Amino acid sequence: QVQLAESGGGSVQSGGSLRLSCSASGFEYTSFLLGWFRQIPGKEREGVAIIDNYDDAVYADSVQGRFIISLDSATTTVFLQMNDLTSDDTAMYYCAAAAPRPASPRWLLQHSRLADAWGQGTLVTVSS
């Protein structure tokens, strides 16, 4: 059973940066998707960035050019480097995994129900 453990959330001023980490354990597949979603109260969870085991990555339009997702395959840890943060980025961020890989990274980005496992979430707060 896949388990995900997130870290790295916190508070930062607008224009600042944060780096989130998510360590995955219990992986038995070599083909998978890992990534990040975020959610604010009263709104649906939205895809932020997804990466696959080939290092192919996709991003939501709202974070393209500011966020970078990366994968350490040796430890099955996925990172999200968030730069030039704004108050619109304030949310609970969740790590997600889909294994074996059910579809393309963009499908998972747009369809959170494809995820098999979720982390507990880490809060990111950006103040202006």
Side-chain angles (χ1 to χ4, degrees):
Q1 183 176 356
V2 175
Q3 293 186 321
L4 305 172
E6 302 132 330
S7 61
S11 298
V12 65
Q13 289 192 327
S14 182
S17 299
L18 282 173
R19 189 188 195 211
L20 306 183
S21 301
C22 173
S23 177
S25 60
F27 256 56
E28 298 178 353
Y29 304 99
T30 56
S31 175
F32 56 82
L33 301 173
L34 281 171
W36 296 91
F37 290 76
R38 65 187 182 186
Q39 189 171 25
I40 60 176
K43 291 204 171 183
E44 291 188 2
R45 192 169 295 189
E46 66 167 347
V48 176
I50 304 293
I51 193 167
D52 69 9
N53 50 289
Y54 298 110
D55 278 338
D56 287 336
V58 294
Y59 298 89
D61 290 344
S62 58
V63 307
Q64 182 78 48
R66 299 187 297 122
F67 290 12
I68 301 171
I69 190 170
S70 59
L71 173 67
D72 182 341
S73 297
T75 61
T76 320
T77 300
V78 61
F79 303 95
L80 186 68
Q81 178 66 42
M82 305 185 294
N83 301 318
D84 194 21
L85 287 161
T86 74
S87 56
D88 288 340
D89 297 314
T90 294
M92 186 71 80
Y93 284 71
Y94 296 90
C95 181
R101 170 183 169 145
S104 70
R106 185 157 296 281
W107 264 98
L108 180 59
L109 186 75
Q110 297 174 344
H111 302 90
S112 61
R113 68 182 185 278
L114 293 177
D116 301 309
W118 293 91
Q120 78 284 359
T122 185
L123 182 63
V124 172
T125 303
V126 184
S127 57
S128 56

